[in-house]
Amino acid sequence: MDSIYKAKALERLKIASISKEKELYNALASNLYFAVFNYIQSILGKAPEGKWKHLGIFSHFSSRCVENTLYSKEELKEFSKSYKKLYELRRKADYFNTNFDYEDLYKLHDVYYYFKEVIENGYR
């Protein structure tokens, strides 16, 4: 695991936690997403073409995790489902002229606790 990317993931998670506490939901979605992105980078290490792309990083992550038995296929399915939810919430927070509705806030709350556990402790 790359310690620099892991430290970045933890720092962004801390900012996400503060954002959640202060009910700053756009900041929560954005910082939580990048905490997860940095966590994935910490597992993958250096990108083959100099940087990881947001849409392609999960397939590399999933392959690496299966090859090295870091996460089971069931755990990766849950991770993928939560990552996709978070990606859409982050896009809504950063790119669209709209507010989160109740359903979005429920999803955001759910993925926050899920990824907080993953980033801090892993699955095992």
Side-chain angles (χ1 to χ4, degrees), residues 3-15:
S3 62
I4 293 173
Y5 279 126
K6 177 67 185 229
K8 287 182 180 188
L10 290 168
E11 180 180 311
R12 289 181 189 264
L13 180 60
K14 183 182 270 187
I15 295 167

Side-chain angles (χ1 to χ4, degrees), residues 72-121:
S72 70
K73 289 183 180 180
E74 292 79 27
E75 290 167 332
L76 286 170
K77 283 180 190 174
E78 182 65 27
F79 194 112
S80 175
K81 187 172 97 177
S82 296
Y83 184 69
K84 287 175 185 173
K85 281 184 205 175
L86 181 56
Y87 179 75
E88 289 307 317
L89 291 165
R90 197 276 302 188
R91 285 179 33 81
K92 191 171 191 176
D94 291 343
Y95 299 118
F96 298 105
N97 185 17
T98 185
N99 291 318
F100 289 129
D101 60 23
Y102 181 78
E103 185 178 332
D104 293 330
L105 293 176
Y106 179 81
K107 288 179 191 175
L108 186 56
H109 178 82
D110 189 45
V111 296
Y112 168 78
Y113 285 109
Y114 173 79
F115 282 121
K116 183 177 187 314
E117 178 68 22
V118 169
I119 292 169
E120 290 180 342
N121 305 309

Side-chain angles (χ1 to χ4, degrees), residues 10-11 16 18-19 23 27 29 33-34 37 41 43 48 51 54-55 67 71 73 76 88 90-91 97 108-110 115:
L10 290 168
E11 180 180 311
I18 292 166
S19 299
E23 298 181 356
Y33 173 80
F34 283 105
F37 191 80
Q41 288 174 305
I43 300 287
K51 67 178 183 174
H54 293 276
L55 294 178
E67 289 168 7
Y71 294 110
K73 289 183 180 180
L76 286 170
E88 289 307 317
R90 197 276 302 188
R91 285 179 33 81
N97 185 17
L108 186 56
H109 178 82
D110 189 45
F115 282 121

